[in-house]
Amino acid sequence: MPATRIAARFEVRYTRLLDAEGKAAGPLPGFARDPAALVALYRAMVLTRTFDAKAIALQRTGRLGTYASSLGQEAVAVGAAAAMAPDDVLVPSFREHGAQLWRGVTLHELFLFWGGDERGNDFAGPREDFPISVPVGSHALHAAGVALAFKLRHEARAALCIFGDGATSKGDVAEAMNFAGVWTLPLVFVINNNGWAISVPRAAQSAAQTLAQKAVAAGIPGEQVDGNDVIAMRAATEAALAKARAGGGAHVIEALTYRLSDHTTADDASRYRSDAEVSQRWAEEPVARLRRHLEGAGLWDKAAEEALLHETAATVEEAASAYLATPAQAPDSMAAFTYAAWPAALAAQRAWFAPAPAGTEG
Amino acid sequence: MPATRIAARFEVRYTRLLDAEGKAAGPLPGFARDPAALVALYRAMVLTRTFDAKAIALQRTGRLGTYASSLGQEAVAVGAAAAMAPDDVLVPSFREHGAQLWRGVTLHELFLFWGGDERGNDFAGPREDFPISVPVGSHALHAAGVALAFKLRHEARAALCIFGDGATSKGDVAEAMNFAGVWTLPLVFVINNNGWAISVPRAAQSAAQTLAQKAVAAGIPGEQVDGNDVIAMRAATEAALAKARAGGGAHVIEALTYRLSDHTTADDASRYRSDAEVSQRWAEEPVARLRRHLEGAGLWDKAAEEALLHETAATVEEAASAYLATPAQAPDSMAAFTYAAWPAALAAQRAWFAPAPAGTEG
Amino acid sequence: MAALTLVQSVNLALARAMADDPRVLVLGEDVGIDGGVFRATDGLLARFGPERVLDTPLAELGIAGLAVGLAAQGFRPVAEIQFSGFVYPCIDQIMNHAARLRTRTHGRLSCPMVLRMPAGGGIRAVEHHSECPEAMFAHMPGLRVVVPASPARAYGLLLAAIRDPDPVIFLEPTRLYRAVREEVADDGAALPLDRAFSLRPGADITLIAWGGMVPEALAAAETLAAEGIDAGVIDLATLKPLDMETVLAEVARTGRCVIVQEAPVSGGLGAEVAAGIAERGLDQLLAPIRRLAPPDVVVPAPRLETAYLPDAARIAAAARETMAYT
Amino acid sequence: MAALTLVQSVNLALARAMADDPRVLVLGEDVGIDGGVFRATDGLLARFGPERVLDTPLAELGIAGLAVGLAAQGFRPVAEIQFSGFVYPCIDQIMNHAARLRTRTHGRLSCPMVLRMPAGGGIRAVEHHSECPEAMFAHMPGLRVVVPASPARAYGLLLAAIRDPDPVIFLEPTRLYRAVREEVADDGAALPLDRAFSLRPGADITLIAWGGMVPEALAAAETLAAEGIDAGVIDLATLKPLDMETVLAEVARTGRCVIVQEAPVSGGLGAEVAAGIAERGLDQLLAPIRRLAPPDVVVPAPRLETAYLPDAARIAAAARETMAYT
Ligand SMILES: Cc1ncc(C[n+]2csc(CCOP(=O)(O)OP(=O)(O)O)c2C)c(N)n1
Ligand SMILES: Cc1ncc(C[n+]2csc(CCOP(=O)(O)OP(=O)(O)O)c2C)c(N)n1
Ligand SMILES: [Mg+2]
Ligand SMILES: [Mg+2]
């Protein structure tokens, strides 16, 4: 045996199925030959972007809290969610409005949540999906727990967890991937690599050439996908989820996209990146790309576009109005869900929620 | 551009320079042609093993606390430490007695520490080395901080951090590697992969084929080394440290060895692994391996061995006696190092340390 | 009925809970074939198999986060942390997720998990092995914190913790694991999770303790009795929510109290007990509230541990001083 | 001398400390070109360069651990955590390492680091952005915990924290970042780290507050003054070690107090203050100690935040009740 030998080899593949012009870069997957499927993806991305614009408008006028836009990243969220089965579980970060909407979270619920009302997390639709995770990366472990639950119950279900490029630096994510690997969990991690973590560019986040290779540390496969290509996103996620549900274990998908907006409505990205960089990335954005593809395939035209925009705007406006018309809950509701039942030992504390004594002020 | 391409490739090499019989598996590094250097490594490993045996004996008779033996892993600690420059900094786990001794921590200090006396951490020798880290893996981040300090001061120094196979599952370690990678820190991580984390075998710790590939997630090189081959350990660590000091960045070395002892004196390994497995691994152990090599090179014989064992036993006995003769400190010393100066606001608290009032008891 | 040590009664309660409810899982480092470093999970793997007893990789943060996911999915994970000094990586998951998943989702998801671990000193262990982290957890809304002080209470309280629909931190006093034996009936009867135990009535002064300090308080009460001081002893047992009613009732009777805490004094749970008495029982006090707790120092290495820990002698001395107050 | 907001005075103190001492480093997420999400580090990168102002990867545990290593090597790292809700991953490093490195090595290594972060609510932020974690830290031996409540105190206390040879947790009340302006002289003068500030004398009752609650307490005192109640106000400012002497002296004069806490009531820092008074100031009390703090619930989402937070009206009402006690 020689003094030195290769003990292990790895590679990370990159896939894009539609180029920036919306032209197929090779054979497309089956669903991409189904017009209804393609149009559904397109509608979902447009809805997401319309919601986004409305949320920002509401925030700017003081009627919504700080909001994280998903502008330019719609294909990541929609493509991944579209690959899920209804009884899979989504464990999202805070920029996956498109995924939540696809899963059946309502616009009204999203507005409520971002408007500062926890009822927005009590999804009427996907009851098992997690609410968004504000502490970056911490939810990756919940996804591992959910996937472990499926495995222990021998259910053919999978968990899908999404987080950003910044999140990959967190130990939680590394631990979650390691659990997923060693226990062959039905769990797909999607990294929304939008190039930035607030002001920190991807290159300052890690020396790893790709973020997909975070998977290597956990002994699971990792791949890169063009995150502005919703067809590639859905195809890759579908394959990974199918493998996961079949007992084949976990998978990491790094979706390469770009954050076209500020980090949140509280951020001013012009402090740390140039307009030129942003403009350039508009050429790659996913909504126009799929529209061009649909147009090229004769599935879409100006009239369809106008009708959709009109319909979507109306839907979003209606939900926004309903949100704005929803009164806040009574203060006592704060204690309603702290425990399954408010402890008798703390009964007196609830006096705090009684209406302020009239006629006095501080 | 095709729909799919390779975005990145990685490999992990494995190196062993001496086989289990002590025969060179290929050309040896320069230091291995220096008899004094080889004998120094041998003496250090024997000293470590002798200390180990004495510590266990003291623990068994109630004169030392719970102790973690390094039996069989002496080459990892000694080989890595021997590669260090005096002004490098060691950030060890709890099983690197051999590294600490090589660095100049005294036997007396080691006995004190394991005997439950913090004075054992006030090393007279390597003043900047960290005390051992009991919380597994948490010290990897300290090593990153130390390495960053060197880099910021433009010093040609490096940090060396050692931890076990179990530790590689912890998020701290992943975060530390990521920092080391992205900031090109002068930091070498040595994984003492001794096959077990208490009762959990390596295979149950991670699906990663090698632990060296944890480095891939951080974009730094990782390699495997035969951890029972002190020559390979020293050579690999020397190369990594030299690169690090020269600004070439961090490196991960996975040392493949075996924990021949129980986890600690509080453990009973027969609960979870077979005697047969352990016996088999004795054939690979590092001390006999280097002795055979020395004998083969005509550098060692029975007389030298007996003299060394005699001398080492005497040294260890002397240190143990000195430790046993060292009285505990006064209780008030507990407060001496909580802060640089005990806060005036807490002055009254020190009454706790006054001798118990005579004549009363509980 | 068998005379069991505390660690055996923990084991018995775990087995009982697992037998009763298939949703109960045990997970942690070395909980499987090794049976846990203190043997609290001994025999569970053999009895319930590897799908109910999971040896995890070495990752406390991960263990806590996994448990949140499992619990949200309807399991009842009982996770072991090997020593309480290694629970700090879990704090983020407990505070930011476990304790508020129900609140955040308005009850849609919840987190019926137990995080159990040995806690406290008195076993001359190496550094980081003698921590008393109860106060940190007792400040987190949505959580319960439980500390048994006898084998029988460990059994009943652990069953209650596992059955509780919300997350529970269960701290087992390491020093009591094998200190005494007590008859424990495996009757599946849980104890209430919001009730302190008045272990010994006392007319003159009330000693309030929890965990490893309870036997010391009882010993001190014996000593004091011999001196003619009738000291009562309360084992708080459930630290969050805290049963102040029992405390206030006893202190109202005696007018004097010593709160015994093993953790460093400032900001410990004893402060909450003292505050509760000061708010609602001030009129009944005949002497200042006395906290007996070590100074604000790090738990020392074993050689000095005895000088750090409160013990029966110190408790008795504090009680005498409090009795002397007029 | 300029009229500065609190966040500007933090910035000024950071710049001053960096200019004075080359060992001072600033690190954290977005502290560089972005100047920090609240602009506390604005301009520091341009002035001191990338070797003194380090944008880190997104890893709070790592930031804390790095700072320990840097501090052990003689640097004086000042690490920013973006919001206190994200400090929990640091707890392990702070508790198990930063706060005890000096103890563990008998002074050979030490940890002169500052971990600073915005804390508390009142800005209608999304979940996890309104945490008050002071009590957790105030229970850790070896640590100092500081919470400024005005621009000038922020400047002097932050300088003191950075110069202190031990680790300091520095919590900046988010709601006060831009609430008021105050003249702050950039004179490099530090304030003591173990002294509470008696902001307003008062003959009848003492209001004890820290951080974002201090202006509310001052406003309550104004209201009460108009009603003929002379309320004093103490800003505790340094929560560990806690200056109980100042508190006891004031409470001894007035015999009545309200302790105002923004964090959920149980196990908060107010308990320690109450316990300290109950232990050493009982004789002077004319009324029970009153803690005014929200119930043990998770900070609600913004729409209900106002109903959660203590405010001047509630403080005044509590003071009136305490005054009414006879
Ligand atoms: C643990 C934690 N630290 C810091 C923050 C503040 N923060 C919110 S988003 C963000 C950047 C996240 O970057 P990335 O993971 O790339 O996701 P993106 O925002 O780009 O979608 C930061 C630092 C947080 N929410 N959680
Ligand atoms: C954070 C933490 N968790 C648990 C422990 C208890 N413990 C001590 S050593 C050990 C196993 C460590 O395994 P490994 O990293 O492989 O090192 P080895 O003991 O084999 O040298 C465990 C679980 C600890 N010390 N720290
Ligand atoms: Mg990003
Ligand atoms: Mg090991």
PDB file of all heavy atoms in Angstrom, chain C residues 164-188:
ATOM      1  N   ASP C 164     -47.176  16.072  30.333  1.00  0.00           N
ATOM      2  CA  ASP C 164     -47.586  17.473  30.189  1.00  0.00           C
ATOM      3  C   ASP C 164     -47.537  17.882  28.718  1.00  0.00           C
ATOM      4  O   ASP C 164     -46.628  17.498  27.983  1.00  0.00           O
ATOM      5  CB  ASP C 164     -46.655  18.366  31.016  1.00  0.00           C
ATOM      6  CG  ASP C 164     -47.207  19.767  31.141  1.00  0.00           C
ATOM      7  OD1 ASP C 164     -48.102  19.978  31.970  1.00  0.00           O
ATOM      8  OD2 ASP C 164     -46.769  20.652  30.372  1.00  0.00           O
ATOM      9  N   PRO C 165     -48.519  18.670  28.297  1.00  0.00           N
ATOM     10  CA  PRO C 165     -48.548  19.063  26.878  1.00  0.00           C
ATOM     11  C   PRO C 165     -47.549  20.153  26.502  1.00  0.00           C
ATOM     12  O   PRO C 165     -47.498  20.547  25.334  1.00  0.00           O
ATOM     13  CB  PRO C 165     -49.996  19.565  26.702  1.00  0.00           C
ATOM     14  CG  PRO C 165     -50.450  19.957  28.073  1.00  0.00           C
ATOM     15  CD  PRO C 165     -49.725  19.064  29.024  1.00  0.00           C
ATOM     16  N   ASP C 166     -46.768  20.633  27.444  1.00  0.00           N
ATOM     17  CA  ASP C 166     -45.802  21.706  27.156  1.00  0.00           C
ATOM     18  C   ASP C 166     -44.387  21.277  27.525  1.00  0.00           C
ATOM     19  O   ASP C 166     -44.200  20.283  28.209  1.00  0.00           O
ATOM     20  CB  ASP C 166     -46.236  22.968  27.911  1.00  0.00           C
ATOM     21  CG  ASP C 166     -47.507  23.555  27.316  1.00  0.00           C
ATOM     22  OD1 ASP C 166     -47.501  23.822  26.102  1.00  0.00           O
ATOM     23  OD2 ASP C 166     -48.511  23.719  28.049  1.00  0.00           O
ATOM     24  N   PRO C 167     -43.413  22.032  27.071  1.00  0.00           N
ATOM     25  CA  PRO C 167     -42.024  21.626  27.331  1.00  0.00           C
ATOM     26  C   PRO C 167     -41.652  21.745  28.806  1.00  0.00           C
ATOM     27  O   PRO C 167     -42.041  22.699  29.473  1.00  0.00           O
ATOM     28  CB  PRO C 167     -41.201  22.603  26.480  1.00  0.00           C
ATOM     29  CG  PRO C 167     -42.105  23.759  26.213  1.00  0.00           C
ATOM     30  CD  PRO C 167     -43.497  23.219  26.205  1.00  0.00           C
ATOM     31  N   VAL C 168     -40.914  20.766  29.266  1.00  0.00           N
ATOM     32  CA  VAL C 168     -40.513  20.720  30.672  1.00  0.00           C
ATOM     33  C   VAL C 168     -39.010  20.486  30.763  1.00  0.00           C
ATOM     34  O   VAL C 168     -38.472  19.608  30.095  1.00  0.00           O
ATOM     35  CB  VAL C 168     -41.243  19.580  31.429  1.00  0.00           C
ATOM     36  CG1 VAL C 168     -40.832  19.566  32.897  1.00  0.00           C
ATOM     37  CG2 VAL C 168     -42.755  19.709  31.300  1.00  0.00           C
ATOM     38  N   ILE C 169     -38.370  21.285  31.593  1.00  0.00           N
ATOM     39  CA  ILE C 169     -36.963  21.055  31.924  1.00  0.00           C
ATOM     40  C   ILE C 169     -36.952  20.266  33.215  1.00  0.00           C
ATOM     41  O   ILE C 169     -37.542  20.688  34.212  1.00  0.00           O
ATOM     42  CB  ILE C 169     -36.208  22.392  32.126  1.00  0.00           C
ATOM     43  CG1 ILE C 169     -36.362  23.299  30.897  1.00  0.00           C
ATOM     44  CG2 ILE C 169     -34.746  22.145  32.469  1.00  0.00           C
ATOM     45  CD1 ILE C 169     -35.706  22.788  29.647  1.00  0.00           C
ATOM     46  N   PHE C 170     -36.301  19.135  33.204  1.00  0.00           N
ATOM     47  CA  PHE C 170     -36.335  18.225  34.353  1.00  0.00           C
ATOM     48  C   PHE C 170     -34.905  18.024  34.852  1.00  0.00           C
ATOM     49  O   PHE C 170     -34.092  17.378  34.190  1.00  0.00           O
ATOM     50  CB  PHE C 170     -36.961  16.900  33.921  1.00  0.00           C
ATOM     51  CG  PHE C 170     -37.429  16.041  35.062  1.00  0.00           C
ATOM     52  CD1 PHE C 170     -38.674  16.262  35.645  1.00  0.00           C
ATOM     53  CD2 PHE C 170     -36.636  15.018  35.552  1.00  0.00           C
ATOM     54  CE1 PHE C 170     -39.126  15.462  36.695  1.00  0.00           C
ATOM     55  CE2 PHE C 170     -37.074  14.221  36.604  1.00  0.00           C
ATOM     56  CZ  PHE C 170     -38.324  14.441  37.180  1.00  0.00           C
ATOM     57  N   LEU C 171     -34.619  18.631  35.997  1.00  0.00           N
ATOM     58  CA  LEU C 171     -33.250  18.621  36.519  1.00  0.00           C
ATOM     59  C   LEU C 171     -33.137  17.615  37.650  1.00  0.00           C
ATOM     60  O   LEU C 171     -33.826  17.731  38.665  1.00  0.00           O
ATOM     61  CB  LEU C 171     -32.890  20.023  37.030  1.00  0.00           C
ATOM     62  CG  LEU C 171     -33.008  21.141  35.990  1.00  0.00           C
ATOM     63  CD1 LEU C 171     -32.953  22.515  36.658  1.00  0.00           C
ATOM     64  CD2 LEU C 171     -31.902  21.018  34.949  1.00  0.00           C
ATOM     65  N   GLU C 172     -32.286  16.623  37.454  1.00  0.00           N
ATOM     66  CA  GLU C 172     -32.143  15.562  38.451  1.00  0.00           C
ATOM     67  C   GLU C 172     -30.880  15.801  39.274  1.00  0.00           C
ATOM     68  O   GLU C 172     -29.782  15.842  38.710  1.00  0.00           O
ATOM     69  CB  GLU C 172     -32.079  14.212  37.723  1.00  0.00           C
ATOM     70  CG  GLU C 172     -33.351  13.955  36.902  1.00  0.00           C
ATOM     71  CD  GLU C 172     -33.169  12.935  35.779  1.00  0.00           C
ATOM     72  OE1 GLU C 172     -32.100  12.293  35.695  1.00  0.00           O
ATOM     73  OE2 GLU C 172     -34.110  12.799  34.960  1.00  0.00           O
ATOM     74  N   PRO C 173     -31.028  15.959  40.576  1.00  0.00           N
ATOM     75  CA  PRO C 173     -29.839  16.256  41.390  1.00  0.00           C
ATOM     76  C   PRO C 173     -28.850  15.091  41.357  1.00  0.00           C
ATOM     77  O   PRO C 173     -29.123  14.016  41.900  1.00  0.00           O
ATOM     78  CB  PRO C 173     -30.405  16.460  42.799  1.00  0.00           C
ATOM     79  CG  PRO C 173     -31.880  16.659  42.619  1.00  0.00           C
ATOM     80  CD  PRO C 173     -32.249  15.895  41.377  1.00  0.00           C
ATOM     81  N   THR C 174     -27.727  15.323  40.720  1.00  0.00           N
ATOM     82  CA  THR C 174     -26.734  14.267  40.536  1.00  0.00           C
ATOM     83  C   THR C 174     -26.351  13.623  41.862  1.00  0.00           C
ATOM     84  O   THR C 174     -26.231  12.402  41.959  1.00  0.00           O
ATOM     85  CB  THR C 174     -25.467  14.851  39.885  1.00  0.00           C
ATOM     86  OG1 THR C 174     -25.856  15.807  38.915  1.00  0.00           O
ATOM     87  CG2 THR C 174     -24.637  13.776  39.246  1.00  0.00           C
ATOM     88  N   ARG C 175     -26.182  14.452  42.862  1.00  0.00           N
ATOM     89  CA  ARG C 175     -25.719  13.924  44.146  1.00  0.00           C
ATOM     90  C   ARG C 175     -26.751  13.016  44.803  1.00  0.00           C
ATOM     91  O   ARG C 175     -26.416  12.252  45.709  1.00  0.00           O
ATOM     92  CB  ARG C 175     -25.368  15.062  45.084  1.00  0.00           C
ATOM     93  CG  ARG C 175     -26.552  15.992  45.314  1.00  0.00           C
ATOM     94  CD  ARG C 175     -26.448  16.680  46.651  1.00  0.00           C
ATOM     95  NE  ARG C 175     -25.497  17.774  46.614  1.00  0.00           N
ATOM     96  CZ  ARG C 175     -25.069  18.394  47.695  1.00  0.00           C
ATOM     97  NH1 ARG C 175     -25.465  18.007  48.889  1.00  0.00           N
ATOM     98  NH2 ARG C 175     -24.234  19.401  47.614  1.00  0.00           N
ATOM     99  N   LEU C 176     -28.002  13.115  44.366  1.00  0.00           N
ATOM    100  CA  LEU C 176     -29.038  12.258  44.963  1.00  0.00           C
ATOM    101  C   LEU C 176     -29.303  10.998  44.149  1.00  0.00           C
ATOM    102  O   LEU C 176     -30.095  10.147  44.564  1.00  0.00           O
ATOM    103  CB  LEU C 176     -30.350  13.045  45.120  1.00  0.00           C
ATOM    104  CG  LEU C 176     -30.290  14.337  45.930  1.00  0.00           C
ATOM    105  CD1 LEU C 176     -31.682  14.906  46.136  1.00  0.00           C
ATOM    106  CD2 LEU C 176     -29.603  14.100  47.279  1.00  0.00           C
ATOM    107  N   TYR C 177     -28.649  10.874  42.989  1.00  0.00           N
ATOM    108  CA  TYR C 177     -28.923   9.720  42.132  1.00  0.00           C
ATOM    109  C   TYR C 177     -28.858   8.398  42.884  1.00  0.00           C
ATOM    110  O   TYR C 177     -29.679   7.510  42.680  1.00  0.00           O
ATOM    111  CB  TYR C 177     -27.929   9.679  40.966  1.00  0.00           C
ATOM    112  CG  TYR C 177     -28.419  10.321  39.690  1.00  0.00           C
ATOM    113  CD1 TYR C 177     -27.507  10.767  38.737  1.00  0.00           C
ATOM    114  CD2 TYR C 177     -29.773  10.462  39.400  1.00  0.00           C
ATOM    115  CE1 TYR C 177     -27.929  11.346  37.537  1.00  0.00           C
ATOM    116  CE2 TYR C 177     -30.208  11.038  38.211  1.00  0.00           C
ATOM    117  CZ  TYR C 177     -29.285  11.471  37.283  1.00  0.00           C
ATOM    118  OH  TYR C 177     -29.712  12.027  36.112  1.00  0.00           O
ATOM    119  N   ARG C 178     -27.843   8.273  43.739  1.00  0.00           N
ATOM    120  CA  ARG C 178     -27.676   7.002  44.451  1.00  0.00           C
ATOM    121  C   ARG C 178     -27.539   7.194  45.954  1.00  0.00           C
ATOM    122  O   ARG C 178     -27.091   6.304  46.664  1.00  0.00           O
ATOM    123  CB  ARG C 178     -26.451   6.254  43.912  1.00  0.00           C
ATOM    124  CG  ARG C 178     -26.536   5.974  42.422  1.00  0.00           C
ATOM    125  CD  ARG C 178     -25.469   5.035  41.897  1.00  0.00           C
ATOM    126  NE  ARG C 178     -25.845   4.603  40.554  1.00  0.00           N
ATOM    127  CZ  ARG C 178     -25.589   5.279  39.444  1.00  0.00           C
ATOM    128  NH1 ARG C 178     -24.931   6.419  39.507  1.00  0.00           N
ATOM    129  NH2 ARG C 178     -25.997   4.829  38.260  1.00  0.00           N
ATOM    130  N   ALA C 179     -27.954   8.377  46.427  1.00  0.00           N
ATOM    131  CA  ALA C 179     -27.712   8.712  47.832  1.00  0.00           C
ATOM    132  C   ALA C 179     -28.621   7.926  48.768  1.00  0.00           C
ATOM    133  O   ALA C 179     -28.195   7.472  49.831  1.00  0.00           O
ATOM    134  CB  ALA C 179     -27.906  10.208  48.054  1.00  0.00           C
ATOM    135  N   VAL C 180     -29.881   7.789  48.398  1.00  0.00           N
ATOM    136  CA  VAL C 180     -30.817   7.074  49.272  1.00  0.00           C
ATOM    137  C   VAL C 180     -31.713   6.168  48.433  1.00  0.00           C
ATOM    138  O   VAL C 180     -31.797   6.311  47.217  1.00  0.00           O
ATOM    139  CB  VAL C 180     -31.743   8.044  50.043  1.00  0.00           C
ATOM    140  CG1 VAL C 180     -30.973   8.821  51.087  1.00  0.00           C
ATOM    141  CG2 VAL C 180     -32.465   8.971  49.090  1.00  0.00           C
ATOM    142  N   ARG C 181     -32.371   5.255  49.105  1.00  0.00           N
ATOM    143  CA  ARG C 181     -33.391   4.431  48.474  1.00  0.00           C
ATOM    144  C   ARG C 181     -34.728   4.722  49.127  1.00  0.00           C
ATOM    145  O   ARG C 181     -34.798   5.075  50.294  1.00  0.00           O
ATOM    146  CB  ARG C 181     -33.081   2.939  48.653  1.00  0.00           C
ATOM    147  CG  ARG C 181     -31.947   2.466  47.810  1.00  0.00           C
ATOM    148  CD  ARG C 181     -31.662   0.988  48.021  1.00  0.00           C
ATOM    149  NE  ARG C 181     -30.531   0.621  47.194  1.00  0.00           N
ATOM    150  CZ  ARG C 181     -30.644   0.228  45.925  1.00  0.00           C
ATOM    151  NH1 ARG C 181     -31.834   0.120  45.356  1.00  0.00           N
ATOM    152  NH2 ARG C 181     -29.571  -0.065  45.220  1.00  0.00           N
ATOM    153  N   GLU C 182     -35.756   4.578  48.348  1.00  0.00           N
ATOM    154  CA  GLU C 182     -37.096   4.853  48.867  1.00  0.00           C
ATOM    155  C   GLU C 182     -38.040   3.873  48.176  1.00  0.00           C
ATOM    156  O   GLU C 182     -37.817   3.486  47.028  1.00  0.00           O
ATOM    157  CB  GLU C 182     -37.460   6.296  48.502  1.00  0.00           C
ATOM    158  CG  GLU C 182     -38.749   6.834  49.137  1.00  0.00           C
ATOM    159  CD  GLU C 182     -39.005   8.299  48.733  1.00  0.00           C
ATOM    160  OE1 GLU C 182     -38.454   8.745  47.710  1.00  0.00           O
ATOM    161  OE2 GLU C 182     -39.768   8.980  49.431  1.00  0.00           O
ATOM    162  N   GLU C 183     -39.092   3.504  48.853  1.00  0.00           N
ATOM    163  CA  GLU C 183     -40.102   2.644  48.235  1.00  0.00           C
ATOM    164  C   GLU C 183     -40.805   3.433  47.139  1.00  0.00           C
ATOM    165  O   GLU C 183     -41.311   4.532  47.391  1.00  0.00           O
ATOM    166  CB  GLU C 183     -41.147   2.212  49.273  1.00  0.00           C
ATOM    167  CG  GLU C 183     -40.592   1.380  50.420  1.00  0.00           C
ATOM    168  CD  GLU C 183     -40.188  -0.013  49.973  1.00  0.00           C
ATOM    169  OE1 GLU C 183     -40.936  -0.645  49.188  1.00  0.00           O
ATOM    170  OE2 GLU C 183     -39.097  -0.475  50.386  1.00  0.00           O
ATOM    171  N   VAL C 184     -40.821   2.895  45.948  1.00  0.00           N
ATOM    172  CA  VAL C 184     -41.494   3.581  44.843  1.00  0.00           C
ATOM    173  C   VAL C 184     -42.435   2.579  44.175  1.00  0.00           C
ATOM    174  O   VAL C 184     -41.990   1.558  43.653  1.00  0.00           O
ATOM    175  CB  VAL C 184     -40.483   4.113  43.807  1.00  0.00           C
ATOM    176  CG1 VAL C 184     -41.212   4.801  42.665  1.00  0.00           C
ATOM    177  CG2 VAL C 184     -39.485   5.069  44.461  1.00  0.00           C
ATOM    178  N   ALA C 185     -43.712   2.881  44.220  1.00  0.00           N
ATOM    179  CA  ALA C 185     -44.685   2.013  43.558  1.00  0.00           C
ATOM    180  C   ALA C 185     -44.770   2.383  42.085  1.00  0.00           C
ATOM    181  O   ALA C 185     -44.915   3.550  41.748  1.00  0.00           O
ATOM    182  CB  ALA C 185     -46.055   2.182  44.210  1.00  0.00           C
ATOM    183  N   ASP C 186     -44.675   1.394  41.226  1.00  0.00           N
ATOM    184  CA  ASP C 186     -44.781   1.660  39.785  1.00  0.00           C
ATOM    185  C   ASP C 186     -46.262   1.678  39.406  1.00  0.00           C
ATOM    186  O   ASP C 186     -46.745   0.855  38.640  1.00  0.00           O
ATOM    187  CB  ASP C 186     -44.020   0.594  39.009  1.00  0.00           C
ATOM    188  CG  ASP C 186     -43.958   0.932  37.519  1.00  0.00           C
ATOM    189  OD1 ASP C 186     -44.280   2.088  37.155  1.00  0.00           O
ATOM    190  OD2 ASP C 186     -43.594   0.039  36.738  1.00  0.00           O
ATOM    191  N   ASP C 187     -46.954   2.647  39.954  1.00  0.00           N
ATOM    192  CA  ASP C 187     -48.402   2.697  39.778  1.00  0.00           C
ATOM    193  C   ASP C 187     -48.825   3.679  38.694  1.00  0.00           C
ATOM    194  O   ASP C 187     -50.015   3.926  38.495  1.00  0.00           O
ATOM    195  CB  ASP C 187     -49.063   3.084  41.109  1.00  0.00           C
ATOM    196  CG  ASP C 187     -48.492   4.393  41.653  1.00  0.00           C
ATOM    197  OD1 ASP C 187     -47.694   5.052  40.928  1.00  0.00           O
ATOM    198  OD2 ASP C 187     -48.824   4.757  42.788  1.00  0.00           O
ATOM    199  N   GLY C 188     -47.871   4.260  38.015  1.00  0.00           N
ATOM    200  CA  GLY C 188     -48.214   5.190  36.935  1.00  0.00           C
ATOM    201  C   GLY C 188     -48.855   6.480  37.421  1.00  0.00           C
ATOM    202  O   GLY C 188     -49.400   7.233  36.613  1.00  0.00           O
TER     203      GLY C 188
END
